Amino acid sequence: MCTLSRQRKGSIHELVQMILRERFCHQRLPEKPVGMESQHKHLLELLRRTAVHGESNSVLIVGPRGSGKTMLLNCVLRELLEVKDVNKNVLPVHLNGLLQTDDRIALKEITRQLNLENVVGDKVFGSFAENLAFLLEALKKGDRSSSRPVLFILDEFDLFAHHKNQTLLYNLLDVSQSAQAPVAVIGLTCRLDVLELLEKRVKSRFSHRQIHLLSSLSFIQYLDNVRSQLSLPQDFPDTKFYDEWNDSIKTLCEDQSVVDVLQRHYNSSKDFRSLHLLLMLALSRVSASKPAIKPTDLLEASRVCMVDSKANILHGLSILELCLIIAMKHLNDIYEGEPFNFQMVHNEFKKFLQRKSHSIHNFDKPVVMKAFEHLQQLELIKSMDSSTAKIQKEYQLMKLLLDHSQIMEALQKYPQCPTDVKQWAMSAFG
Amino acid sequence: MFVGLLLSRYLNMSVEGQEAVTTVTPGQYILIEGNDDEYPFVAKLLKFFGDESHKQKKALVQWFLRLSEVPQNKKLLLGRSPHPQEIFYYLGRACDNEINAESILGTVHVRQDNSPDTLYVKLSWDTKAFNVLDPVLMQDTPASTPPKPALPLFPPCASPTATPVAGSVSDTRATMSAGKRSTLEAESIHSASKLSASKILSAKRRGSAADTPGVRKKLQLSIGASECLYCLFNILFSPFFPELRKELRNSVCFPCFLIQVTPSTPRHATPSIPSRTVPARQPGNILDEARARLHVSSVPESLPCREQEFQDIYNFVESKVMDGTGGCMYISGVPGTGKTATIHEVIRCLQHASDMDEIPTFRFIEINGMKMTDPHQAYVQILQKLTDQKVTADHAAALLEKRFSNPAPKKETTVLLVDELDLLWTRKQNVMYNLFDWPTRRHARLVVLTIANTMDLPERIMINRVASRLGLTRMSFQPYSFKQLQQIITSRLNKVKAFEEDALQLVSRKVAALSGDARRCLDICRRATEICEHSASHPSSTGLVRMSHVMEALDEMFSSSYITAIGCASLQEQLFLRAVIAEFRRLGLEEATFQQVFVQHRALSRVEGLQPISVSEGLAVCQRLGACRLLLLEASRLDMLQRVRLNVSQDDVLYALKAVRD
């Protein structure tokens, strides 16, 4: 009996993990996009008119990264394809500026996705010029009332603007402005200045419809959203567990420390992608023996998210390397951020050894050099000269890629750091 | 291939090809060199005469047309699919019925009953309709049988050792080109200099086919055989020999490996978009109707506001077509001022005029510099539109050169529209040079209309010899004024009452002030109808489009989104922008490194009572602003040393941040 219930519990947790992970990893679209109702309506209307009336359109969806551009579009497409008349009538073509890096590849991909007649299996036949002529001819032969509307979805739209002559954009937008096969050109981009990238005749053919996704979410809405994101859906099989879980989420979101953590995240960025990362980390600590998310889980997750990337690297340095970094810090103070070379650092280090050090023995110069090179490999210091080959290693100019605060923090946390090194770091000048 | 032309006392013409002398006499049916090697023109020889200088022998002919020579839009008048061997008696007047005797290729049989091998005539064509042929017209033939069996058009080629069709055709072509030199001296049989360009090219192609290792390996054939194979190949894959193809497939000597050589390559794929299952819905209410009419793609009933330009272009093209001469015209104007639309309208009117028989018929061809991958593709596209041939760019250039520089009978004027001319620029400018040089040739009959955006394009990018050939016939389309824009919208709406008068005026004034682009104007109006539809509480109770709707549409399209974006940014992002401005002020420069800005940022967050963020977070904030292009950043591998600049003015940032605080 006991083992059976534990098994059941285990499977329930697997289910919870599955449901929530799908949500956080963007594998499942939300029921309805949150906080973008008007944009949703606008886009849906536009695409519906293309699908039903055969009206050609072009539109840009602009918003910062993680603001839900793709999610909005996918929601609209899902809704559009549920309409019976539309279902078999539209031909969506998905392109991505990061994948289709030039027009040649993009054309092949379009032809392949449209499955035109010069496609056999997965291969597109013909040269670049033939493909272009073929596609344009195909689109030209279509007309508003009888051919299927084509939805061109251009992800990372700004990258398409860097293609040679902007041939693809010109042609797609030209089709959308002439009596040919009905098309809708939908661009997604995070650049606010995307229109300035378009050439004037390409720009003239674009309809200048822009849907901006700029979230003006208040913190209260943000909190609500966190709660709904963590809650289980109503059709969850085990009602008892469902109630327990949702209650625990409710109390979690009212906990002051949790609110503080979320406030900090909200201040940093409002987008959902970083929130999902945080919630994912918290969720991964849920198991059969720990059946709910506790405030400490969220605090820990937040700590992991917010951690400085260089702190860990500093943590693993040897005392010698740390000393070199302190010497560089002093050089930075003295010369006000001017670059330094190995000789200067070594000098500074030697001065420290002679005057103040009690615990650190003298190191040979090659050993110090080796430590210096290791720092360069870790990219904690960066060479300022482009032609590295010509100058001797010792005299190459370097810059430190660390902030004061990062160094001091690392010293505080460093296990068994000698006191004289700490004092040296804190003293004003060498 | 000894070739000579003898003028007998009976005004008989003898064409000596290969080893047999073919004599042509008046009354016989002859083949005449045309644009298409496989389909020479057909005519009946009426009489020979010499021209004034007695240097050239001319001939008077009665033309017959193949269906491919009938204008595309008239082909449907036939009402049935034509037999490939059917020709039509030509009753029109537009074609010159004098030809050079040198262009005669040979004789041909023409009958009046339907026979499978030879050409036959049943109908006549008078440029308007097909009529049943009056037998009297054919009877006045002094039916003298030709001394030699007439040149069969397509010799049967069932066995692989027989001389293939392509070979015999090009032999005839060689004959012709040698005859063209109008030298009576004998020339050596294998002289390469006699080969015409097409012969050389076909020989080259044959060679390249033989060189393809895959083909050879697969077929295990000698070069001689593969040469023959190439011809058969041509036949098999050319759409013109359906019977022959069938015959060959059935014949035993060539099993179906020919099909395997090209694994199901779609040779004749027809470009088309699948058709929809449910027909598109027609516009329902008045706003839908207005929206459909305002779409840039809808063709308006008339083109207002470009009457003067229309008349100028019309006169230019009409005079050239009437005179049968050539010329160039350069048209410039900013995008969306109706350049292409006006020319299309001119061509529509001219087509109509030629249908009414007021002017001679002409061909209209359109190419667009943006719709090709390489400037040299222009040749390919022109040739394909003229003759339906698909060849490489170099070959197409050679063929076009020949077409436009040689005199040919039955030539009609070609009107060529070159859109986005600036894209045809190459380093040597040979594409532009050729396009502008052809119209100056005596026999070209080519009118070139070119369009580009900049007024001084000829001066700026063309070298002298190109600009000089383009000539000084220029026209520039001015941006539309607000009155014109208003007139355009009103004429498009054409009594569909969907807009308030003031609203239209606002749109046109706004667009005229910004760009004068008619496309923009139409797009804004379209968007305004949508806003109007959405703002109405009930879908049925939508009124007219008012000022407020238009204002909203204008706002959406023209207002900068930077300020809203800053307003919607997260607290740390806003703080970072403030830190950037503070650092700029401290430095007195418009540029700072991330490290410097971050010091400011930390100080500011202390002032604001926020917990300071780590460097990694700060960099993430900075990158997010950079991705939106609120900030301009250097490459991110520079880490803390990357330099930061604002992409918005400082005042805008401060204004936006102030608005957030209040």
Side-chain angles (χ1 to χ4, degrees):
Chain A
M1 179 69 203
C2 185
T3 50
L4 208 150
S5 77
R6 201 183 299 157
Q7 261 179 7
R8 250 178 73 80
K9 264 250 155 80
S11 66
I12 280 178
H13 281 101
E14 276 163 24
L15 192 63
V16 170
Q17 291 269 1
M18 204 183 73
I19 290 172
L20 295 183
R21 271 168 199 259
E22 268 183 357
R23 217 180 261 170
F24 299 151
C25 296
H26 310 275
Q27 284 171 348
R28 178 183 295 245
L29 290 174
E31 298 293 311
K32 229 175 165 2
V34 190
M36 41 182 87
E37 282 74 23
S38 68
Q39 288 96 333
H40 179 256
K41 196 178 164 197
H42 184 176
L43 189 63
L44 182 63
E45 260 311 295
L46 201 72
L47 296 190
R48 205 182 52 76
R49 277 209 309 278
T50 303
V52 176
H53 293 282
E55 177 187 300
S56 294
N57 279 310
S58 50
V59 66
L60 269 180
I61 306 175
V62 188
R65 293 215 181 277
S67 59
K69 303 179 287 293
T70 312
M71 189 267 291
L72 172 70
L73 181 67
N74 286 339
C75 280
V76 167
L77 283 180
R78 181 184 61 185
E79 211 163 313
L80 197 68
L81 293 176
E82 275 167 12
V83 181
K84 209 170 122 266
D85 282 7
V86 175
N87 193 6
K88 290 209 179 76
N89 268 335
V90 291
L91 299 162
V93 175
H94 293 267
L95 300 177
N96 190 319
L98 292 168
L99 298 178
Q100 279 79 41
T101 46
D102 65 22
D103 285 346
R104 186 187 303 265
I105 306 170
L107 270 174
K108 286 218 165 190
E109 185 62 21
I110 292 173
T111 322
R112 198 184 64 74
Q113 290 192 22
L114 283 178
N115 212 354
L116 295 180
E117 280 192 37
N118 55 348
V119 178
V120 173
D122 237 5
K123 273 206 137 85
V124 181
F125 284 90
S127 66
F128 181 30
E130 280 168 8
N131 281 339
L132 180 68
F134 193 86
L135 181 70
L136 290 178
E137 191 59 27
L139 289 169
K140 203 171 175 183
K141 279 201 178 154
D143 69 15
R144 179 184 163 147
S145 49
S146 68
S147 42
R148 284 201 207 180
V150 187
L151 307 181
F152 289 101
I153 296 151
L154 307 178
D155 215 338
E156 311 289 346
F157 182 83
D158 46 318
L159 296 179
F160 285 97
H162 293 129
H163 294 181
K164 191 191 161 213
N165 289 345
Q166 305 190 346
T167 309
L168 182 75
L169 289 185
Y170 177 90
N171 285 308
L172 290 185
L173 293 173
D174 193 55
V175 171
S176 83
Q177 298 245 315
S178 49
Q180 303 182 4
V183 298
V185 182
I186 307 149
L188 295 107
T189 180
C190 62
R191 282 183 70 163
L192 294 168
D193 62 345
V194 64
L195 281 189
E196 290 159 37
L197 297 175
L198 298 180
E199 215 205 330
K200 57 185 185 302
R201 50 196 151 197
V202 181
K203 196 174 167 185
S204 167
R205 280 165 176 78
F206 171 60
S207 74
H208 281 62
R209 274 170 208 272
Q210 294 187 65
I211 298 179
H212 286 283
L213 287 184
L214 298 166
S215 98
S216 50
L217 219 58
S218 72
F219 182 58
I220 308 292
Q221 289 166 315
Y222 188 80
L223 263 185
D224 280 345
N225 204 35
V226 172
R227 185 161 46 234
S228 65
Q229 290 277 318
L230 281 173
S231 303
L232 289 173
Q234 275 191 334
D235 55 357
F236 193 73
D238 190 334
T239 46
K240 183 162 163 279
F241 187 84
Y242 167 81
D243 289 338
E244 277 174 20
W245 176 270
N246 282 3
D247 282 345
S248 77
I249 294 300
K250 205 171 172 202
T251 47
L252 178 77
C253 289
E254 280 158 6
D255 188 285
Q256 191 51 45
S257 60
V258 171
V259 171
D260 284 347
V261 164
L262 290 176
Q263 174 82 54
R264 202 178 133 89
H265 268 266
Y266 172 79
N267 282 348
S268 167
S269 81
K270 291 182 189 174
D271 69 57
F272 287 121
R273 199 170 282 166
S274 60
L275 174 68
H276 285 153
L277 186 67
L278 178 78
L279 297 181
M280 186 75 170
L281 286 171
L283 178 71
S284 59
R285 298 163 75 94
V286 172
S287 62
S289 55
K290 224 173 124 288
I293 298 179
K294 293 273 181 288
T296 47
D297 297 336
L298 214 62
L299 290 180
E300 182 59 25
S302 159
R303 202 187 56 75
V304 173
C305 277
M306 297 277 182
V307 78
D308 190 49
S309 57
K310 282 183 186 149
N312 285 331
I313 301 180
L314 286 173
H315 215 68
L317 291 182
S318 68
I319 292 285
L320 172 61
E321 286 157 348
L322 206 61
C323 286
L324 289 183
I325 283 187
I326 293 167
M328 290 169 200
K329 172 189 165 269
H330 285 311
L331 284 173
N332 262 348
D333 286 343
I334 295 163
Y335 300 109
E336 288 177 337
E338 289 299 307
F340 48 81
N341 60 23
F342 173 71
Q343 278 301 335
M344 294 161 79
V345 176
H346 191 232
N347 256 351
E348 198 73 14
F349 179 56
K350 268 201 300 199
K351 266 196 275 173
F352 163 66
L353 286 185
Q354 284 161 7
R355 279 193 236 148
K356 294 172 186 167
S357 168
H358 312 293
S359 56
I360 298 176
H361 307 289
N362 205 353
F363 289 98
D364 288 337
K365 199 171 171 185
V367 177
V368 182
M369 186 68 203
K370 201 74 200 162
F372 190 79
E373 280 175 352
H374 186 224
L375 290 178
Q376 195 178 354
Q377 278 165 1
L378 289 173
E379 292 201 326
L380 291 175
I381 53 177
K382 189 168 169 52
S383 161
M384 296 309 290
D385 310 300
S386 50
S387 53
T388 46
K390 286 184 184 161
I391 307 166
Q392 272 186 322
K393 269 191 250 173
E394 290 87 342
Y395 300 104
Q396 268 176 29
L397 288 178
M398 296 285 184
K399 267 200 167 183
L400 185 61
L401 294 182
L402 284 169
D403 197 55
H404 256 217
S405 58
Q406 283 173 307
I407 301 171
M408 297 321 272
E409 206 171 308
L411 277 176
Q412 294 303 322
K413 288 185 184 161
Y414 197 86
Q416 290 145 18
C417 179
T419 334
D420 45 354
V421 175
K422 265 190 199 174
Q423 277 172 348
W424 179 44
M426 280 189 271
S427 66
F429 288 103
Chain B
M1 269 164 262
F2 172 74
V3 177
L5 287 175
L6 301 166
L7 187 67
S8 77
R9 278 178 60 177
Y10 310 104
L11 285 171
N12 277 4
M13 192 69 148
S14 68
V15 177
E16 197 170 330
Q18 292 180 312
E19 64 276 342
V21 178
T22 314
T23 318
V24 270
T25 44
Q28 267 187 312
Y29 294 94
I30 50 173
L31 293 175
I32 295 165
E33 179 200 358
N35 305 314
D36 194 338
D37 292 349
E38 283 177 81
Y39 292 111
F41 292 134
V42 183
K44 191 163 87 175
L45 187 61
L46 299 181
K47 70 169 201 191
F48 282 116
F49 63 93
D51 69 350
E52 307 86 52
S53 56
H54 290 283
K55 274 185 188 151
Q56 268 190 319
K57 306 300 165 231
K58 298 246 178 183
L60 203 65
V61 294
Q62 164 61 48
W63 289 110
F64 288 86
L65 258 71
R66 292 169 194 274
L67 193 77
S68 54
E69 296 166 44
V70 176
Q72 194 72 37
N73 51 347
K74 300 289 173 60
K75 281 183 186 170
L76 290 173
L77 289 174
L78 186 60
R80 61 181 162 88
S81 58
H83 192 275
Q85 303 286 29
E86 182 165 7
I87 53 176
F88 307 99
Y89 192 91
Y90 182 72
L91 286 173
R93 292 175 286 108
C95 288
D96 192 1
N97 54 3
E98 285 177 26
I99 57 158
N100 282 339
E102 296 154 12
S103 60
I104 298 175
L105 298 179
T107 59
V108 70
H109 264 310
V110 176
R111 298 191 187 196
Q112 269 183 275
D113 55 340
N114 194 346
S115 58
D117 309 331
T118 54
L119 299 167
Y120 68 93
V121 198
K122 276 192 168 168
L123 302 174
S124 67
W125 167 249
D126 61 355
T127 71
K128 295 245 166 33
F130 292 99
N131 299 314
V132 177
L133 182 64
D134 185 1
V136 180
L137 287 170
M138 296 289 286
Q139 267 169 12
D140 57 357
T141 318
S144 62
T145 45
K148 292 278 169 190
L151 189 74
L153 247 193
F154 309 115
C157 180
S159 94
T161 46
T163 320
V165 173
S168 82
V169 168
S170 53
D171 282 347
T172 332
R173 308 249 326 116
T175 308
M176 171 278 309
S177 73
K180 243 197 183 72
R181 293 161 173 263
S182 63
T183 49
L184 292 168
E185 68 198 277
E187 285 183 14
S188 98
I189 292 173
H190 296 293
S191 162
S193 67
K194 284 208 271 180
L195 294 179
S196 71
S198 71
K199 169 88 173 173
I200 293 169
L201 261 160
S202 80
K204 248 190 226 165
R205 262 157 51 189
R206 218 173 297 171
S208 72
D211 287 344
T212 314
V215 176
R216 251 168 79 181
K217 202 171 156 195
K218 214 163 200 168
L219 301 179
Q220 295 291 324
L221 287 168
S222 67
I223 294 178
S226 77
E227 187 174 337
C228 172
L229 197 95
Y230 166 76
C231 303
L232 281 167
F233 221 80
N234 256 357
I235 297 159
L236 264 191
F237 289 111
S238 70
F240 311 113
F241 298 92
E243 314 96 321
L244 208 59
R245 206 182 319 176
K246 210 189 285 167
E247 218 177 301
L248 267 174
R249 282 233 184 92
N250 297 339
S251 72
V252 216
C253 42
F254 278 99
C256 37
F257 63 72
L258 278 175
I259 315 300
Q260 285 169 11
V261 176
T262 50
S264 60
T265 312
R267 294 285 294 209
H268 302 293
T270 42
S272 67
I273 296 284
S275 57
R276 49 193 299 159
T277 50
V278 184
R281 210 175 289 166
Q282 290 306 309
N285 57 21
I286 199 157
L287 283 177
D288 275 349
E289 172 79 26
R291 204 153 39 224
R293 285 173 162 279
L294 287 173
H295 199 282
V296 184
S297 70
S298 72
V299 181
E301 289 90 358
S302 66
L303 266 184
C305 315
R306 288 292 180 222
E307 287 83 8
Q308 187 56 48
E309 286 86 354
F310 175 87
Q311 203 54 51
D312 288 353
I313 300 172
Y314 187 92
N315 290 347
F316 177 80
V317 180
E318 191 196 24
S319 64
K320 301 287 178 205
V321 172
M322 295 279 251
D323 302 348
T325 53
C328 293
M329 186 174 202
Y330 175 72
I331 298 163
S332 64
V334 292
T337 46
K339 302 177 293 294
T340 314
T342 306
I343 291 184
H344 280 152
E345 186 71 16
V346 167
I347 297 299
R348 252 201 306 281
C349 287
L350 285 170
Q351 297 275 20
H352 187 250
S354 89
D355 285 352
M356 303 304 286
D357 226 3
E358 286 160 12
I359 56 168
T361 54
F362 65 95
R363 290 281 291 274
F364 174 62
I365 296 173
E366 186 179 3
I367 58 168
N368 187 325
M370 271 291 210
K371 293 188 179 172
M372 53 189 77
T373 51
D374 175 85
H376 296 278
Q377 287 291 322
Y379 299 128
V380 179
Q381 295 200 1
I382 294 172
L383 191 74
Q384 199 191 349
K385 282 168 183 166
L386 272 176
T387 63
D388 240 5
Q389 282 172 285
K390 263 191 186 170
V391 292
T392 60
D394 291 343
H395 189 193
L399 287 177
L400 284 172
E401 177 73 33
K402 186 168 149 263
R403 185 189 171 97
F404 288 124
S405 48
N406 290 351
K410 283 211 265 182
K411 195 176 243 178
E412 51 188 7
T413 306
T414 311
V415 179
L416 174 66
L417 168 60
V418 185
D419 217 336
E420 316 291 2
L421 177 72
D422 49 334
L423 267 296
L424 295 185
W425 187 88
T426 52
R427 220 161 50 79
K428 284 173 145 182
Q429 308 202 352
N430 44 2
V431 179
M432 281 181 173
Y433 179 85
N434 279 334
L435 282 180
F436 302 144
D437 192 42
W438 289 331
T440 61
R441 308 274 170 85
R442 205 175 130 222
H443 304 285
R445 290 189 151 201
L446 176 69
V447 182
V448 179
L449 304 171
T450 55
I451 298 184
N453 288 134
T454 37
M455 205 195 259
D456 56 346
L457 190 78
E459 284 74 31
R460 251 183 335 123
I461 68 167
M462 289 183 202
I463 47 179
N464 287 336
R465 61 193 154 98
V466 177
S468 144
R469 276 169 178 76
L470 173 58
L472 290 169
T473 322
R474 309 249 177 112
M475 175 178 289
S476 86
F477 278 58
Q478 298 302 321
Y480 290 112
S481 72
F482 85 91
K483 283 218 169 102
Q484 289 174 321
L485 287 173
Q486 206 172 342
Q487 199 185 336
I488 288 170
I489 306 173
T490 337
S491 86
R492 277 213 178 214
L493 284 172
N494 193 18
K495 302 207 185 74
V496 174
K497 187 73 185 144
F499 279 82
E500 276 184 0
E501 205 55 40
D502 290 350
L504 280 190
Q505 190 163 352
L506 177 68
V507 177
S508 33
R509 275 187 189 271
K510 186 85 185 180
V511 173
L514 280 167
S515 59
D517 186 338
R519 290 196 188 107
R520 207 54 339 91
C521 200
L522 295 172
D523 282 331
I524 293 169
C525 288
R526 227 151 53 84
R527 177 70 189 133
T529 60
E530 283 165 27
I531 294 172
C532 174
E533 199 168 349
H534 289 175
S535 65
S537 52
H538 231 277
S540 57
S541 69
T542 49
L544 293 180
V545 180
R546 271 188 291 280
M547 281 286 250
S548 58
H549 304 134
V550 170
M551 287 290 266
E552 205 182 322
L554 281 170
D555 232 37
E556 264 185 36
M557 289 188 174
F558 289 124
S559 71
S560 153
S561 49
Y562 287 116
I563 292 181
T564 347
I566 295 172
C568 291
S570 71
L571 200 59
Q572 294 288 359
E573 286 161 5
Q574 290 173 350
L575 209 59
F576 194 86
L577 286 174
R578 277 172 63 193
V580 170
I581 290 183
E583 185 62 20
F584 284 178
R585 292 206 172 146
R586 190 183 73 85
L587 293 171
L589 284 170
E590 292 277 298
E591 191 176 86
T593 63
F594 170 80
Q595 198 167 14
Q596 292 167 320
V597 176
F598 192 68
V599 174
Q600 292 282 350
H601 183 265
R602 190 167 301 169
L604 276 172
S605 43
R606 279 200 202 97
V607 172
E608 294 286 320
L610 291 169
Q611 211 179 345
I613 54 173
S614 67
V615 180
S616 298
E617 269 180 275
L619 268 171
V621 165
C622 182
Q623 291 296 339
R624 275 202 294 273
L625 290 171
C628 296
R629 288 298 189 278
L630 284 168
L631 293 180
L632 298 175
L633 301 176
E634 276 187 307
S636 60
R637 67 188 161 77
L638 291 171
D639 204 54
M640 300 180 64
L641 301 176
Q642 62 183 317
R643 277 170 297 185
V644 176
R645 259 192 286 168
L646 273 179
N647 198 24
V648 209
S649 78
Q650 292 195 14
D651 293 338
D652 283 356
V653 178
L654 291 174
Y655 170 79
L657 292 175
K658 201 168 165 233
V660 173
R661 281 189 175 178
D662 295 341

